[in-house]
Structure formats: structure tokens, C-alpha cells
Amino acid sequence: MRYDPAKVFLLQDGAVSALSGRRMARDADIEASVALFRRHFPQGQVRRSEGNLGVARNILRGEKLVFEELDAELGYFFEDDLELGPWYLYALERLREITAPFPRIAYFGAYGDHRRDYPGPVVKYIPLEHHWGFGLRRHAWRQMMAWLKPYYDILEGVDYNARNHRRIFELFRPLAIASEASSQDAAKSIACLELGLYRVLTTVSFGRYIGERGNSFSPAHFRAMGFDKMRVAQSETYDFTPLTEARLQEIDAHHRRHYERLRRERFDDILAAHPGR
């Protein structure tokens, strides 16, 4: 694949929250992150945040960079807890080509099914759940941002980790679907379902999740989910099967059934776990 090395960006978050004064990272670790990026991408650009924005605001900053400042039709986004294999960018490029005829596809990723081993060379498609290393299209992002404005309004004025979970869950109460999480990832998942946008993932794991510790995982949860057994596929060639509207509808239906079941069976318990404040 060809790419413009000047359009590779590191969106480096800051160490201390300007909202609460809490320290979220060590200065030395931030400098090491920047130095590593500059070593591997000498023509790339570092966009530092003076204060710590947190996950949601820093990712939103990257999305606005790609879709507003650069006015790109498509962006590739990588969180720091996904380790890319040697074929990952190739896989995203193939997905870009394969998904192009389907305007309802918002997200596509290539980290694969961590619950099963798909070694290749045949690559098929399953629902994408986590937004880790993915392609996102501008037209879909614009739809999501309009729909998610009330969600981002709730995040204003507080650290992301101190967000009002109850208010977020109440925001989604009128819907027929629900999530057990109040994260920006979960909110975008709900937005896609409500807007009729698809999210697809390869069966083959072209990368592996390494976020054993962080906002979403503890070592015990990481192992319970099976991420410690995740392996990058080692095939020498890969055959991406054609994608059809019928398969996309199956993927969407799988997502929808999962979120509908959560709303039907778990929503009251979710609210009870987050009393109002």
C-alpha cells in the first residue's frame, strides 16, 4: 500500500487533567511514547494535548483531525493496546476495497475472533465489537456525531473516568437496545445500530489485543475473555471472500439481538448498579 508519511499522526494525550488536577500518566512515559513514534515515523506529526483529555475526548480529537481538518473520506485509527501483525495494514486496505460498494458500512477492522483460531488463508467476516484498529468512513462518522451529541454533552466538564454513568444509561432508556457499558465505544455501537450502520471484522486475527491493564480490563478480566491466548495468524497468503448484503444483514442482526437481549434482561440491573447523582 502507498501512504503519505506526513499524514501519520500521534494524538498524544497529556499527563494531568485540567478539570480535576489528577495525574493520569507519568511524564517520562509520554516522552518515551513520542520518541518511539518519531523514531518509526520521522515524517509523521505529533499532536500533543497540554492536559489529559481522557479516552473519549482524545479519540474525538483524532476523528476531528481526520474528518474536519484533513477532510478525508476515510481514516485508519489505532489505539495503543492493539499490537499489529505484519499483514494488518494490508488487511485494512483489502477491507477498504471490499466494503466500498456498501455505503452503510461505518467501521471495518482486522483483529479477528479472539475466541476461535482462524489461521487463514480464507478470510470471512463477523460482527466488529471493539473499536481498536479500524477504518472509519466520514459520512458515517458525521451521522454518529449528530446522534451522539447528548452523550458528549454529558462528558463535558468532568474527567472521562468520572463520567456520570447513570445519566448515560438514562439517555439510552427509550431505545429497544442497551449496553452494559457507558464508554464511548459502547455509545458508538448503539449509535450505529440506531442509524442502520454496519460494523464488520475479519475472522482471521491480523493483530492481537494486549490491553491487559487499562480503562476496560484487569489481568483477571483479560484472561477470562481469552485475550491471553490470542495469536496473530501466520499464513503466507490470504484469500478475502466476497462480502454480500445478505452477510451484512446477518452481522447486523447478530449485533441487534445481543443488544436487544441486554435491554430486555439486564437493563434494570444495570441502572441499579449506578444510582443517580
Side-chain angles (χ1 to χ4, degrees):
M1 65 172 290
R2 293 184 178 182
Y3 73 98
D4 183 348
K7 289 185 178 178
V8 179
F9 294 85
L10 171 64
L11 277 294
Q12 179 61 59
D13 207 356
V16 178
S17 168
L19 296 170
S20 66
R22 289 186 59 196
R23 175 169 284 276
M24 307 294 188
R26 298 189 307 175
D27 293 335
D29 290 337
I30 288 176
E31 294 307 320
S33 171
V34 172
L36 186 66
F37 176 82
R38 285 179 168 152
R39 182 159 70 248
H40 289 283
F41 301 99
Q43 297 180 59
Q45 301 183 45
V46 177
R47 296 287 181 96
R48 290 179 181 255
S49 173
E50 291 186 9
N52 182 271
L53 298 172
V55 174
R57 292 190 191 89
N58 200 46
I59 290 176
L60 181 60
R61 184 167 70 110
E63 291 168 347
K64 288 183 175 181
L65 164 64
V66 172
F67 299 125
E68 294 182 351
E69 182 178 333
L70 300 179
D71 197 28
E73 294 184 1
L74 171 74
Y76 290 160
F77 297 84
F78 304 96
E79 293 192 18
D80 58 3
D81 46 13
L82 183 72
E83 182 178 82
L84 307 186
W87 290 85
Y88 204 93
L89 289 180
Y90 167 81
L92 287 185
E93 281 291 279
R94 288 292 293 120
L95 288 170
R96 177 183 62 79
E97 297 167 352
I98 291 166
T99 62
F102 304 96
R104 290 175 64 187
I105 295 179
Y107 287 94
F108 54 84
Y111 56 82
D113 187 347
H114 68 277
R115 299 173 186 86
R116 296 178 61 184
D117 182 23
Y118 292 94
V122 176
V123 181
K124 297 182 180 180
Y125 312 103
I126 55 176
L128 181 149
E129 186 60 34
H130 306 287
H131 303 141
W132 286 333
F134 58 86
L136 173 61
R137 288 194 161 87
R138 182 181 60 199
H139 73 274
W141 178 79
R142 287 174 173 170
Q143 292 179 63
M144 286 191 295
M145 286 303 101
W147 196 89
L148 286 169
K149 185 180 184 305
Y151 175 82
Y152 283 101
D153 287 345
I154 292 174
L155 301 184
E156 281 299 314
V158 296
D159 288 340
Y160 179 65
N161 288 346
R163 64 192 179 277
N164 191 320
H165 303 282
R166 176 75 182 209
R167 285 186 63 197
I168 291 170
F169 290 126
E170 289 286 359
L171 185 66
F172 301 139
R173 181 194 283 274
L175 307 180
I177 58 177
S179 172
E180 293 183 282
S182 66
S183 65
Q184 59 90 32
D185 235 11
K188 289 171 178 174
S189 300
I190 290 173
C192 283
L193 281 170
E194 285 295 298
L195 293 167
L197 298 171
Y198 297 145
R199 298 178 297 143
V200 298
L201 180 69
T202 57
T203 50
V204 173
S205 294
F206 292 96
R208 67 187 185 102
Y209 182 65
I210 60 173
E212 186 173 353
R213 300 175 186 272
N215 275 298
S216 302
F217 286 92
S218 65
H221 188 201
F222 184 85
R223 290 192 297 273
M225 292 287 288
F227 288 112
D228 58 321
K229 299 179 179 65
M230 196 172 183
R231 299 290 181 267
V232 176
Q234 300 295 320
S235 179
E236 294 183 359
T237 60
Y238 292 98
D239 176 21
F240 285 71
T241 58
L243 187 59
T244 65
E245 182 65 32
R247 180 58 186 143
L248 287 172
Q249 291 177 7
E250 289 175 1
I251 289 170
D252 183 71
H254 178 91
H255 267 141
R256 195 168 300 278
R257 286 192 301 270
H258 171 71
Y259 285 89
E260 286 175 345
R261 186 171 61 252
L262 279 174
R263 178 65 179 85
R264 185 173 59 250
E265 299 176 0
R266 294 275 300 132
F267 191 69
D268 289 343
D269 292 337
I270 293 168
L271 285 180
H274 299 281
R277 60 179 174 88

